[in-house]
Amino acid sequence: MINVDKIREDFPILKKTIHGKPLVYFDNAATSQTPQVVIDTIVDYYSNYNANIHRGVHTLSQVATDKYEEARIKIQKHFNAKKAYEIILTSGTTHSINMVASGFASLLNNGDEIIVSALEHHSNIVPWQMLCEKTGAVLKVIPMNEEGSLQMDVYYSLLNSKTKLVFCNHVSNALGTINPIKEIIDAAHKVNAAVLIDGAQATPHIKPDVQALDVDFYVASAHKLCGPTGVGLLYGKQEWLEKLPPYQGGGEMIETVSFVKTTYAGLPHKFEAGTPNICGGIAFGTAIDYMNSVGFNNIAAYENELLEYGTQELLKIDGLKIFGTSSEKTAVISFNIDSIHPYDIGSILDKLGIAVRTGHHCAQPIMDFYKIPGTIRASFSFYNTKAEIDVLVAGLKRAAMMLS
Ligand SMILES: *Cc1c(COP(=O)(O)O)cnc(C)c1O
């Protein structure tokens, strides 16, 4: 069970007022807020042991290296990776996806096929388009249906011996749909295709087990699960990480260098060129500890309650339509009121201290499917309350009255 009053004490920002009103933060799908323990970790790093890692013999460098590698092990345990070196620390989901996409350039041939889902963040479609341009591979799309779920029968029919890679998000950021990734992975493996799952939107709500999923690559960003921005992970099965060429050249990723030949360092260093976000990596570890201390079962149960309550209360507003109505979804509600532009409603809500996202949520293909310019998206976290949902509903009624 979640004691939300106690949890809210952990997040200093939740005490803020915006335009004189208590902050109601419902933009958690864009980034989560940061608990004091994570802020303390960041302050502690820069106050007490800021040093470059893996290089120095001096004490501070060793302390920083140990803490950074401890964080990697926390992340490994959290995702249940077999080996710590299968966890590559990156600057975030986008970086991780680009690392895999660019690595596959050397593994694909003209006419090979890559499958992506229609529910993608569009920044994540671009790396695959670039990869196709570079290699002559062909991009295939798993279509969605009206409720915002993937058409799995079409997916199964797209798979064939030319399919080399399948890319899908675990949870859609625009609609909150939880995709059936185990089925997606198992079917892809039957044709020997690799699967990359974008967990950016799932990891704040679900604790994924990469071994049980048998997924080849899984990526996520720390800033969506109570960690800092600018750090994330690429999990890859050892065999795949060994097969992929390094992404960037630089310090830390080489074993020996001469002008004739350079040999690359082993995992994970092969993919970690240059000085990483050391403080961010360590704080990512703290964030994972914090989330686990709250408990993912508790988080899921409580957020589901918020989702049910929010859905029920929002639907009482005249003319409000919810997009994304799958029975499998996280606490994200995307909606419009009549044909009022989402931006206008978002601006009024901001004046009332309510932070929501408006627009296409980097998922233009989904908006095109529904033939709308965008939506208002309220995304809840375990530190939100039903009382805050009431504030949103009142604010929406007021905005609708002013704008219609
Ligand atoms: C946020 C998000 C991303 C991008 O994450 P960054 O941290 O900005 O790299 C990618 N995919 C999904 C599903 C997301 O929600």
Side-chain angles (χ1 to χ4, degrees):
M1 271 291 287
I2 285 215
N3 180 345
V4 71
D5 292 332
K6 188 162 164 290
I7 279 175
R8 288 178 70 82
E9 290 295 315
D10 297 338
F11 293 82
I13 208 168
L14 298 180
K15 295 187 184 73
K16 265 193 95 69
T17 55
I18 303 288
H19 303 303
K21 302 282 193 319
L23 167 66
V24 172
Y25 187 76
F26 283 157
D27 194 17
N28 294 288
T31 200
S32 54
Q33 293 304 343
T34 317
Q36 189 65 49
V37 278
V38 173
I39 299 170
D40 290 345
T41 299
I42 295 167
V43 172
D44 183 40
Y45 172 80
Y46 283 109
S47 308
N48 293 312
Y49 60 98
N50 178 27
N52 212 331
I53 53 171
H54 298 138
R55 293 168 201 201
V57 293
H58 64 81
T59 304
L60 287 189
S61 173
Q62 283 171 8
V63 174
T65 305
D66 288 350
K67 297 247 190 197
Y68 192 70
E69 292 307 319
E70 273 166 29
R72 193 192 305 278
I73 289 167
K74 283 179 190 176
I75 298 164
Q76 174 207 351
K77 297 223 164 97
H78 180 73
F79 288 91
N80 193 31
K82 206 183 282 175
K83 306 282 186 203
Y85 54 71
E86 292 176 320
I87 301 294
I88 311 297
L89 288 159
T90 67
S91 73
T93 302
T94 304
H95 182 202
S96 302
I97 291 169
N98 276 283
M99 284 170 83
V100 177
S102 114
F104 262 83
S106 64
L107 304 177
L108 294 182
N109 295 310
N110 198 27
D112 283 345
E113 295 178 1
I114 300 170
I115 298 179
V116 301
S117 90
L119 291 174
E120 299 311 319
H121 198 278
H122 55 52
S123 65
N124 297 347
I125 300 170
V126 180
W128 309 115
Q129 288 171 328
M130 288 165 60
L131 176 59
C132 287
E133 268 169 37
K134 225 185 296 182
T135 59
V138 182
L139 200 63
K140 303 271 168 167
V141 180
I142 316 169
M144 59 181 275
N145 61 22
E146 190 61 34
E147 62 163 37
S149 308
L150 294 174
Q151 296 186 25
M152 292 297 284
D153 49 336
V154 179
Y155 169 60
Y156 297 133
S157 74
L158 289 174
L159 288 165
N160 67 74
S161 62
K162 284 185 281 182
T163 312
K164 291 296 178 289
L165 188 70
V166 176
F167 173 71
C168 182
N169 56 36
H170 191 166
V171 168
S172 155
N173 70 305
L175 305 177
T177 312
I178 303 173
N179 290 313
I181 59 167
K182 183 65 183 147
E183 285 84 343
I184 289 173
I185 294 162
D186 288 347
H189 285 169
K190 290 207 178 100
V191 297
N192 295 318
V195 181
L196 164 57
I197 298 293
D198 171 357
Q201 208 54 242
T203 45
H205 317 283
I206 298 166
K207 183 172 177 165
D209 179 331
V210 293
Q211 288 190 75
L213 287 168
D214 195 27
V215 67
D216 303 290
F217 302 98
Y218 194 96
V219 299
S221 296
H223 72 90
K224 290 189 179 165
L225 56 151
C226 295
T229 55
V231 66
L233 84 140
L234 160 61
Y235 159 79
K237 275 185 192 163
Q238 180 173 358
E239 60 195 89
W240 275 111
L241 292 177
E242 279 168 357
K243 228 179 277 181
L244 292 189
Y247 179 59
Q248 288 178 307
E252 207 57 56
M253 54 75 72
I254 59 255
E255 199 161 72
T256 62
V257 178
S258 77
F259 284 107
V260 182
K261 185 166 171 54
T262 292
T263 54
Y264 302 125
L267 297 173
H269 306 294
K270 173 179 153 187
F271 292 103
E272 293 184 354
T275 302
N277 183 350
I278 302 166
C279 174
I282 296 167
F284 188 5
T286 307
I288 282 185
D289 284 345
Y290 176 79
M291 297 285 286
N292 279 305
S293 75
V294 178
F296 278 83
N297 289 337
N298 294 332
I299 290 172
Y302 180 69
E303 288 178 349
N304 267 333
E305 242 179 74
L306 291 179
L307 175 64
E308 270 178 37
Y309 182 74
T311 305
Q312 168 202 310
E313 293 303 305
L314 285 174
L315 285 174
K316 288 180 185 166
I317 297 172
D318 279 345
L320 187 140
K321 180 167 189 228
I322 293 177
F323 298 92
T325 51
S326 164
S327 57
E328 296 294 316
K329 62 182 270 194
T330 57
V332 170
I333 308 181
S334 248
F335 60 93
N336 277 330
I337 302 178
D338 293 322
S339 54
I340 305 173
H341 202 283
Y343 178 86
D344 296 334
I345 292 178
S347 305
I348 292 176
L349 292 180
D350 177 58
K351 296 286 184 301
L352 301 171
I354 306 165
V356 292
R357 175 106 346 194
T358 60
H360 51 57
H361 318 299
C362 304
Q364 208 119 39
I366 301 179
M367 302 303 136
D368 292 347
F369 176 88
Y370 289 121
K371 302 191 172 59
I372 50 176
T375 67
I376 301 154
R377 181 187 69 188
S379 49
F380 309 136
S381 179
F382 59 93
Y383 44 70
N384 290 128
T385 65
K386 289 184 184 171
E388 288 180 309
I389 293 175
D390 294 339
V391 172
L392 171 68
V393 171
L396 284 169
K397 284 184 180 158
R398 189 161 154 190
M401 214 155 61
M402 289 167 71
L403 295 166
S404 55

